[in-house]
Amino acid sequence: MKVARLSPWADTRVLILGNCHAQYLGAALRLAPNVDVKVVGKPFEGPVHVKGVLPSMIDLKSGFEWIAGSPQRPVVISQTTPKGRDGFSEKLNARGVENTAAYFPFIRFGVLDLNVVQDGPEGERLIKRTIRKDRIFNELSVIAAGGTGDDLDYIERGLVEEPAFYMNSHYTGAVYARIFGLLRRSALAEALGYAEFDAFIHRVSQDPGIGHLLGPLPHVRVMESLGIKWSFADAVRTAGRCLAGPNPGAHDVIRGNGVVSFALFRSHYKIATDQNSLRSLNICIRIYRSNRFYLRWSDLLAIALFRRNKPMLATIVLLHRMAWDDARGSMFEVALRHVRAMSRSEHALRVIDRYAERYPDSNISILPRIVARFRT
């Protein structure tokens, strides 16, 4: 059935069912004109921001009621797997709620999770068997969504050529644009209008937000088997560009990944100190906050901030870390190295007094007396 183009004054309701990929798509679609979008699912911890837009999450029952009350024919988007398409659209039709169904594939690369590979032929067989299973799964998923093997080839080439594709289990906008581009042959593109849909895909492709950065790089033998052309350094640079971008979601994505976050901190700290770059220093602070105040980094940040004549911020970095983990006393030793610098700033002294008052049972309470000795 042909879907009518949206009128300038009407809002078409779009309900999306799926996992985090669906939530990202929902956030992106909210930028499209004349479209009201909601996503069925649980709130997701990763960055589903698209230029600061967040999707609206509802449960399945609320989704049915919302769609049933649509003033015009709604669009239901489901994520497909080799098992077939989601039956929600058909259930709506059976209950008298006519809707237009669109589908996009669930893509997986289980081979990237093979962080431990046995030496010898058995390890090679495991890698090749997992690659083959991934290919079959993805091919069936893409076909079920209305795509072809050529579409999957295009996506797989991205895995080999672009570090951003691996770095995130939930990808950059450029990778989502490839996956969601399969929807161009769906009823969704016709409902939005093909020009509007292409504009939407372009907006997604420009989004710098990155996903979870879940773990270390693939095993070297996995990279060799896939023919991956990029290196760890390429992945770090790509993550750094995303983190430095305007997307607020990208600022929180490195939590829990020591390998990538340490490399990012190290590279940006070098830029901050060698080139006196405040931008890179701010990135270091974001990484530091996202990694539970790594002890060594607090010392380095304090040094850089004092050198930039930002004693109040340097003191906050030190004392916030102390307040978070004061039990071992190691952070107190770090703070003592900066007492002289703190004593020279009235702003820093006010920070010390405020923290000492708030945490009277911690080592912070001792600092005002120590700092006073340097001022006399």
Side-chain angles (χ1 to χ4, degrees):
M1 179 176 180
K2 195 168 180 65
V3 181
R5 283 284 304 278
L6 301 183
S7 62
W9 56 84
D11 283 345
T12 287
R13 293 188 181 182
V14 178
L15 186 71
I16 309 175
L17 295 89
N19 60 3
C20 44
H21 300 274
Q23 296 178 25
Y24 189 101
L25 176 58
L29 272 175
R30 287 186 64 190
L31 295 175
N34 309 317
V35 178
D36 192 3
V37 182
K38 292 189 186 299
V39 182
V40 168
K42 297 179 180 179
F44 193 66
E45 293 180 355
V48 288
H49 307 68
V50 177
K51 297 183 180 178
V53 177
L54 287 172
S56 176
M57 307 298 299
I58 58 178
D59 58 34
L60 190 59
K61 180 180 178 182
S62 299
F64 178 84
E65 294 172 350
W66 183 71
I67 282 293
S70 178
Q72 58 177 314
R73 188 183 183 96
V75 176
V76 176
I77 305 176
S78 298
Q79 198 168 37
T80 61
T81 68
K83 295 181 180 179
R85 295 176 173 180
D86 185 275
F88 186 72
S89 175
E90 289 74 13
K91 291 177 182 177
L92 286 173
N93 283 324
R95 297 189 184 189
V97 182
E98 293 188 1
N99 64 92
T100 299
Y103 304 92
F104 70 97
F106 173 69
I107 305 294
R108 77 176 188 191
F109 291 99
V111 68
L112 299 178
D113 297 326
L114 298 178
N115 295 324
V116 178
V117 179
Q118 182 179 341
D119 291 335
E122 187 58 37
E124 291 299 326
R125 279 194 291 270
L126 172 63
I127 293 173
K128 292 179 180 178
R129 184 167 63 247
T130 309
I131 291 174
R132 184 168 63 251
K133 289 172 64 177
D134 288 342
R135 174 71 194 196
I136 294 172
F137 180 97
N138 291 338
E139 199 164 54
L140 292 174
S141 178
V142 168
I143 291 172
T148 68
D150 290 340
D151 295 312
L152 181 56
D153 290 339
Y154 184 50
I155 294 170
E156 288 183 341
R157 282 198 301 273
L159 174 66
V160 170
E161 297 170 0
E162 301 177 16
F165 199 105
Y166 163 72
M167 282 168 30
N168 335 272
S169 66
H170 310 92
Y171 315 115
T172 63
V175 179
Y176 276 117
R178 289 184 175 184
I179 297 173
F180 297 154
L182 299 181
L183 289 170
R184 196 179 193 282
R185 293 191 291 274
S186 74
L188 174 67
E190 191 172 354
L192 294 177
Y194 291 108
E196 290 87 345
F197 182 82
D198 287 341
F200 152 71
I201 289 294
H202 177 72
R203 283 195 299 269
V204 174
S205 70
Q206 299 302 307
D207 179 58
I210 49 180
H212 301 300
L213 301 173
L214 276 176
L217 291 181
H219 192 282
V220 62
R221 290 169 65 187
V222 171
M223 296 183 75
E224 291 173 354
S225 296
L226 290 172
I228 288 176
K229 300 176 181 178
W230 43 265
S231 66
F232 178 73
D234 296 325
V236 168
R237 281 193 293 270
T238 303
R241 286 195 298 271
C242 293
L243 194 66
N247 182 354
H251 300 162
D252 302 322
V253 302
I254 54 175
R255 184 183 296 112
N257 186 298
V259 175
V260 175
S261 59
F262 182 81
L264 276 174
F265 185 95
R266 183 175 57 189
S267 60
H268 279 285
Y269 189 79
K270 189 175 190 310
I271 295 172
T273 53
D274 292 352
Q275 304 178 18
N276 199 29
S277 169
L278 182 59
R279 183 185 187 189
S280 286
L281 184 56
N282 284 333
I283 292 174
C284 288
I285 292 173
R286 291 173 188 158
I287 298 170
Y288 166 74
R289 289 173 176 169
S290 296
N291 281 268
R292 294 187 176 274
F293 315 112
Y294 183 56
L295 182 64
R296 173 61 176 158
W297 290 352
S298 60
D299 191 18
L300 293 175
L301 286 174
I303 292 172
L305 289 167
F306 278 125
R307 286 176 178 171
R308 289 194 65 93
N309 195 28
K310 293 185 178 295
M312 183 171 71
L313 184 54
T315 305
I316 290 173
V317 166
L318 291 169
L319 300 194
H320 201 65
R321 175 62 173 78
M322 281 185 67
W324 179 73
D325 182 14
D326 187 51
R328 290 174 295 181
S330 50
M331 188 60 212
F332 183 63
E333 298 175 8
V334 172
L336 287 180
R337 294 200 282 268
H338 302 281
V339 165
R340 186 180 298 277
M342 289 189 284
S343 68
R344 298 176 186 144
S345 166
E346 294 296 332
H347 294 298
L349 293 174
R350 284 197 291 271
V351 170
I352 293 173
D353 289 339
R354 187 166 68 247
Y355 271 83
E357 182 179 354
R358 187 172 180 181
Y359 302 98
D361 298 327
S362 74
N363 282 322
I364 299 176
S365 62
I366 308 172
L367 277 181
R369 297 195 297 272
I370 297 175
V371 172
R373 295 179 184 176
F374 283 90
R375 291 178 61 82
T376 56

